[in-house]
Amino acid sequence: MEGDPPLQLRIFDLNCWAIRYLSKRRQERMGLIGDALRRDGFDLVLLQEVWSEQDYSELKSKLASCYPFSHYFRSGVIGSGLCVFSRFPILDTLLYQYSLNGYPYMLQHGDWFCGKSVGLVRGGHSCFAPHFPQLHAEYCREKDAYLPHRLVQAWELAQFIRHTSKAADVVLLGGDLNMHPEDVGIRLLRGWTGLRDAFAEASRFQGCENGCTLVPKNCFTLKTELLPFPLGIRIDYVLYKAVSSFTVKCEELKTTTGTAPGADIPFSDHEAVMATLHIQRQGQAAGATPDTAEPTLADVVTEARTEVDVGLRAARRQRYSRGRMAVLALLLLLVQAAAALGALAGLAPEQPFPKLSFSLLAFLAVGVLLLATGLHLFHTMEVKMLQGTEEQLRMALRALQERP
Amino acid sequence: MEGDPPLQLRIFDLNCWAIRYLSKRRQERMGLIGDALRRDGFDLVLLQEVWSEQDYSELKSKLASCYPFSHYFRSGVIGSGLCVFSRFPILDTLLYQYSLNGYPYMLQHGDWFCGKSVGLVRGGHSCFAPHFPQLHAEYCREKDAYLPHRLVQAWELAQFIRHTSKAADVVLLGGDLNMHPEDVGIRLLRGWTGLRDAFAEASRFQGCENGCTLVPKNCFTLKTELLPFPLGIRIDYVLYKAVSSFTVKCEELKTTTGTAPGADIPFSDHEAVMATLHIQRQGQAAGATPDTAEPTLADVVTEARTEVDVGLRAARRQRYSRGRMAVLALLLLLVQAAAALGALAGLAPEQPFPKLSFSLLAFLAVGVLLLATGLHLFHTMEVKMLQGTEEQLRMALRALQERP
């Protein structure tokens, strides 16, 4: 990029909500998305929730002429749902799967099965490092059981960006963070990485009020979820920073507004975010400019630690109660075994229970034992990861406080 | 580090084999390790298989005066077992858990439960990026069912190092790679990252013949496993490279030789590896010097792809057979349900089976259904990760072939 004229980079980011058999009018919408992308010729397209590889393949062949480079990230049982299309060559990719992502037994909130991750792509003269994450969804804002998990993810995302972007000229992040702009997770992510919010920085903005990306006027959104937010909420972001001797400015930010341009249905239940960035080399190194002053950042880290701590205590309680359940089931099995052996050895004149109930009870005990042991192991893992994050946050806090 | 005199860096690396209740004479050995570390004053100590946090805490308090900085990485059910002690401040840490790590049902090979990972630490004037990984163990060299998983790990490790070390001056790797020096995984890792092998480069070497770290004369090693290798095998490594304007040389490499210095038992079933590196700033940027010429590297990548492909086919077979088993169990349940309903509705004159066998069979079917479904999901995930790696290797190969 050295000596090049200023570069204008047009980015398209969308959570496509493309779950086979479950998402409404999926194929029609994927078709619309493909048409729009082909028509508008962005430089970089970051898509989330493209759960079906077939959808990706169809998009890929449709877009081959205008976006010759693409990548689909695989992870989890269903997949990561992340894919990228680019006008620039993709030189290298890396996927980082968050260590915590909900609970396998919460089948109605399928997050665990998706293997939520952040994808990293290096491309375009090896100067861009676009990350496109998706974080755990929020199902109930008042009683958000997943907040500690989302915070662990936000922290891991921030750490992943810090560690992988040291040699990049420009770092971009586009994705569905499932967090409101004022949430502790997003303040932590922005403060710790120095990423700037395209919506806040854009010279021109056009789209839904307040930059919202989940709006009541979109026919696919759940109206009940948005009741407390009549304008909608903003949970999809384009963030960016220049790392070395570059400057990045957001010239224009746009969102779709409840329907796809020229169509009667939206692309997805989320609105698309389109940013035009202006990238220029400058004389001297810009240096990372953290978005938040450090004393404030220390407060954010402390707040995040408190929330992770709440999650840690809950996870410990779960681990304990599942462990106790497993022990009880084991005891019941042992008592039954003793009774059965006693009956066999002729110590008891006849079996105390009818055979059928006896076997049913034994099977039930085995089932509970297996299930409770599995859950105990799962919550043990959860405790470990929450502890690890808590410790890292403590280390970060110490580093912030010790800095002259 | 700029303008500093040449730096001598002494590294200690050991797989401690410290599994509570299972590893022989664990506490005695951990005590010996602590004593040796305190006595010998290394700069950086990279330990693996410290599964008990209590062992880590004890080491930490014992070593507080000579190694004021330390970190323990948590992951998986049991933990990652990775910890680091350092004379230099630890500024930041990151843990990357491999996406594949054996099978949960192979209880006798507990790898899955350990959450095997690579830990990254930044410290010492923020110029070092020591990585200390542990890869999946090899249980049978002739019929190594875990080779594809280990290759995925080697590839992910190589990618993780490439992406996280771009801004480091010196990259170090010390750990138990569970691979022989000529194995495809280690050739891939070294070729793709440009890391150099301290054993091959050391000016002076002292220790077990051929640098072996699992030797028959160590009283804790399984002699039967080492029968084909009378001298032992080398699976623990110190690798390094200078990224920016530095040079690194290995002045001396040592291994323990079956017993701990001044004791009658070894530190562990593995030998410790101790390297003395000489780090100097040089006038101009050194640039990454890949260890292997590129045509050879392309061959290595091709070889790795072939092996991953073999694993992919096996995983697909497993996924299919588990899925079929689940369907059969479901069919059996449906037939039983139909029979039971028939009997209830009075269609059949009497139940075709005695009640007890009937319920037992139903429970068995439910058990098989659950287990087979779980395994089917697990192998689906395995297929996805192997596919992802295969695709990344293909991309790497293309990049190697296209390079002028």
Side-chain angles (χ1 to χ4, degrees):
Chain A
M1 186 175 239
E2 205 154 342
D4 282 358
L7 178 76
Q8 207 191 44
L9 190 75
R10 296 185 61 228
I11 302 166
F12 179 93
D13 167 68
L14 176 65
N15 177 331
C16 295
W17 185 51
I19 314 167
R20 247 172 154 173
Y21 316 118
L22 286 179
S23 301
K24 286 179 199 151
R25 301 172 77 173
R26 192 189 97 246
Q27 284 175 308
E28 192 182 345
R29 292 188 291 105
M30 290 309 284
L32 278 179
I33 293 170
D35 294 341
L37 291 177
R38 197 161 53 178
R39 192 177 56 228
D40 290 347
F42 293 92
D43 297 299
L44 196 62
V45 176
L46 309 172
L47 302 181
Q48 300 105 52
E49 292 204 4
V50 181
W51 300 121
S52 139
E53 269 199 66
Q54 202 191 320
D55 283 345
Y56 166 72
S57 304
E58 282 173 20
L59 265 185
K60 190 178 164 171
S61 54
K62 193 175 203 171
L63 301 177
S65 60
C66 33
Y67 304 91
F69 308 97
S70 67
H71 190 75
Y72 186 76
F73 289 92
R74 289 177 178 85
S75 84
V77 178
I78 306 176
S80 72
L82 305 175
C83 62
V84 55
F85 293 90
S86 166
R87 272 209 315 128
F88 301 108
I90 292 174
L91 302 175
D92 208 348
T93 64
L94 187 66
L95 187 77
Y96 183 92
Q97 209 171 328
Y98 308 119
S99 57
L100 283 181
N101 189 30
Y103 304 100
Y105 49 84
M106 297 298 270
L107 291 175
Q108 75 278 30
H109 303 161
D111 297 70
W112 188 83
F113 291 92
C114 308
K116 290 216 171 146
S117 326
V118 49
L120 162 68
V121 174
R122 283 183 200 275
H125 314 80
S126 66
C127 67
F128 303 121
H131 298 73
F132 45 121
Q134 189 184 18
L135 268 59
H136 198 293
E138 181 183 82
Y139 294 99
C140 170
R141 195 160 177 82
E142 283 64 48
K143 215 178 150 190
D144 182 9
Y146 298 110
L147 177 59
H149 283 211
R150 211 178 308 108
L151 271 174
V152 168
Q153 295 183 344
W155 175 250
E156 288 181 351
L157 173 60
Q159 284 286 79
F160 181 73
I161 291 173
R162 266 169 77 101
H163 283 282
T164 52
S165 63
K166 289 201 196 272
D169 294 326
V170 174
V171 181
L172 302 171
L173 181 151
D176 170 12
L177 298 179
N178 271 315
M179 298 186 285
H180 298 216
E182 71 281 7
D183 283 1
V184 55
I186 203 136
R187 283 182 285 135
L188 181 70
L189 171 66
R190 288 183 47 202
W192 192 241
T193 56
L195 284 167
R196 281 145 62 197
D197 183 351
F199 175 72
E201 310 263 334
S203 310
R204 288 192 303 281
F205 174 74
Q206 193 186 331
C208 294
E209 211 168 329
N210 294 344
C212 291
T213 58
L214 215 59
V215 294
K217 62 184 161 186
N218 181 311
C219 62
F220 295 129
T221 52
L222 283 178
K223 302 297 169 288
T224 46
E225 274 185 9
L226 291 175
L227 269 186
F229 309 99
L231 289 178
I233 56 179
R234 183 158 77 94
I235 57 175
D236 299 82
Y237 297 83
V238 169
L239 308 178
Y240 59 83
K241 71 169 175 175
V243 176
S244 51
S245 54
F246 285 82
T247 50
V248 193
K249 278 192 192 119
C250 181
E251 279 180 3
E252 190 181 42
L253 193 79
K254 281 185 184 177
T255 71
T256 50
T257 52
T259 48
D264 60 339
I265 56 163
F267 285 142
S268 159
D269 59 347
H270 287 242
E271 301 306 315
V273 182
M274 293 153 281
T276 307
L277 301 182
H278 186 269
I279 299 170
Q280 187 150 32
R281 178 180 277 278
Q282 62 175 18
Q284 60 211 40
T289 45
D291 202 49
T292 324
E294 274 179 18
T296 331
L297 181 54
D299 290 346
V300 175
V301 175
T302 309
E303 198 181 331
R305 256 191 78 191
T306 314
E307 290 295 348
V308 169
D309 233 41
V310 171
L312 184 57
R313 279 200 296 275
R316 280 196 179 120
R317 276 196 303 275
Q318 292 279 346
R319 180 179 63 173
Y320 173 76
S321 75
R322 298 299 166 255
R324 194 181 48 186
M325 198 188 282
V327 170
L328 287 178
L330 188 67
L331 282 180
L332 177 61
L333 268 180
L334 289 177
V335 168
Q336 283 201 296
L341 283 176
L344 274 179
L347 293 179
E350 53 182 321
Q351 221 177 317
F353 297 106
K355 261 189 188 171
L356 178 65
S357 337
F358 194 80
S359 339
L360 286 185
L361 192 65
F363 267 101
L364 195 72
V366 169
V368 170
L369 177 62
L370 289 179
L371 200 70
T373 308
L375 287 176
H376 177 73
L377 291 180
F378 177 81
H379 288 295
T380 304
M381 211 143 59
E382 188 189 9
V383 164
K384 284 219 185 293
M385 298 322 302
L386 286 165
Q387 270 180 333
T389 304
E390 207 270 342
E391 202 171 286
Q392 281 191 40
L393 287 170
R394 204 168 50 214
M395 197 192 289
L397 200 60
R398 210 169 39 226
L400 283 174
Q401 283 159 350
E402 277 173 9
R403 215 176 278 180
Chain B
M1 187 177 240
E2 205 153 343
D4 282 357
L7 178 77
Q8 207 191 41
L9 189 75
R10 296 184 63 227
I11 302 166
F12 179 94
D13 167 69
L14 176 65
N15 176 330
C16 295
W17 186 50
I19 314 167
R20 246 172 154 173
Y21 315 118
L22 286 179
S23 301
K24 286 179 200 152
R25 301 173 76 173
R26 191 189 99 248
Q27 284 175 308
E28 194 181 345
R29 292 188 291 105
M30 290 308 285
L32 278 178
I33 293 170
D35 294 340
L37 291 177
R38 197 161 53 178
R39 193 177 56 229
D40 290 347
F42 293 91
D43 297 300
L44 196 63
V45 176
L46 308 172
L47 303 180
Q48 301 105 52
E49 291 203 4
V50 181
W51 300 120
S52 139
E53 268 198 66
Q54 202 191 321
D55 283 345
Y56 166 72
S57 304
E58 281 173 21
L59 266 185
K60 188 178 165 172
S61 54
K62 194 177 203 168
L63 300 178
S65 61
C66 32
Y67 304 90
F69 307 98
S70 67
H71 189 76
Y72 186 75
F73 289 92
R74 291 178 177 86
S75 84
V77 177
I78 307 176
S80 72
L82 305 176
C83 62
V84 56
F85 293 91
S86 165
R87 272 208 315 128
F88 302 107
I90 292 174
L91 302 175
D92 208 348
T93 65
L94 186 67
L95 186 77
Y96 182 92
Q97 210 171 327
Y98 307 119
S99 57
L100 283 181
N101 189 31
Y103 304 100
Y105 49 84
M106 297 299 270
L107 291 175
Q108 75 278 29
H109 301 160
D111 298 70
W112 188 82
F113 292 92
C114 308
K116 289 213 172 149
S117 328
V118 49
L120 162 66
V121 174
R122 283 183 199 274
H125 314 81
S126 65
C127 67
F128 302 121
H131 297 73
F132 46 122
Q134 189 182 20
L135 268 60
H136 198 293
E138 180 183 82
Y139 295 98
C140 171
R141 194 160 177 81
E142 283 65 47
K143 218 181 149 188
D144 182 10
Y146 298 110
L147 177 60
H149 283 210
R150 211 177 309 107
L151 271 174
V152 169
Q153 295 183 344
W155 175 250
E156 288 182 351
L157 173 59
Q159 284 286 81
F160 181 72
I161 292 173
R162 266 169 77 102
H163 284 281
T164 54
S165 64
K166 288 198 197 275
D169 295 326
V170 174
V171 180
L172 302 170
L173 181 152
D176 170 11
L177 298 179
N178 271 316
M179 298 185 285
H180 299 216
E182 71 281 6
D183 283 1
V184 55
I186 203 136
R187 283 182 286 136
L188 181 70
L189 171 66
R190 287 184 48 202
W192 192 242
T193 56
L195 284 167
R196 281 145 64 197
D197 184 352
F199 175 72
E201 310 264 335
S203 310
R204 289 192 303 280
F205 174 75
Q206 194 186 331
C208 294
E209 211 168 329
N210 294 344
C212 291
T213 58
L214 215 58
V215 293
K217 62 184 162 185
N218 181 311
C219 63
F220 295 129
T221 52
L222 283 177
K223 302 297 169 287
T224 45
E225 275 185 9
L226 291 175
L227 269 186
F229 309 99
L231 289 178
I233 56 178
R234 183 157 78 94
I235 57 174
D236 299 82
Y237 297 83
V238 169
L239 308 178
Y240 59 83
K241 71 169 176 176
V243 176
S244 50
S245 53
F246 284 82
T247 51
V248 193
K249 278 195 191 117
C250 180
E251 279 180 3
E252 190 180 41
L253 192 80
K254 282 185 184 178
T255 71
T256 50
T257 53
T259 47
D264 62 338
I265 56 162
F267 285 141
S268 160
D269 60 346
H270 286 242
E271 301 306 316
V273 182
M274 292 154 281
T276 307
L277 302 183
H278 186 268
I279 299 170
Q280 186 150 32
R281 178 180 276 279
Q282 63 174 18
Q284 60 212 45
T289 45
D291 202 49
T292 324
E294 274 179 18
T296 331
L297 181 54
D299 291 346
V300 174
V301 174
T302 310
E303 198 180 333
R305 257 191 77 190
T306 314
E307 291 294 349
V308 170
D309 233 40
V310 171
L312 184 56
R313 280 199 297 275
R316 279 197 180 120
R317 276 196 304 273
Q318 292 279 345
R319 180 179 62 173
Y320 173 75
S321 75
R322 298 298 167 256
R324 194 180 47 186
M325 199 188 281
V327 170
L328 288 178
L330 188 67
L331 283 179
L332 177 61
L333 269 180
L334 290 177
V335 168
Q336 283 201 297
L341 283 175
L344 274 179
L347 294 179
E350 54 181 321
Q351 223 177 313
F353 296 107
K355 261 188 187 171
L356 179 65
S357 337
F358 195 79
S359 342
L360 286 185
L361 193 64
F363 267 101
L364 195 71
V366 169
V368 170
L369 177 63
L370 288 179
L371 199 70
T373 308
L375 287 176
H376 177 74
L377 290 180
F378 177 81
H379 289 296
T380 303
M381 211 144 60
E382 189 189 9
V383 164
K384 282 217 187 293
M385 299 321 303
L386 287 165
Q387 271 181 329
T389 305
E390 207 269 344
E391 202 171 285
Q392 281 191 39
L393 288 171
R394 203 167 51 214
M395 197 192 288
L397 201 59
R398 209 169 37 225
L400 284 174
Q401 283 160 349
E402 278 173 7
R403 217 176 277 181

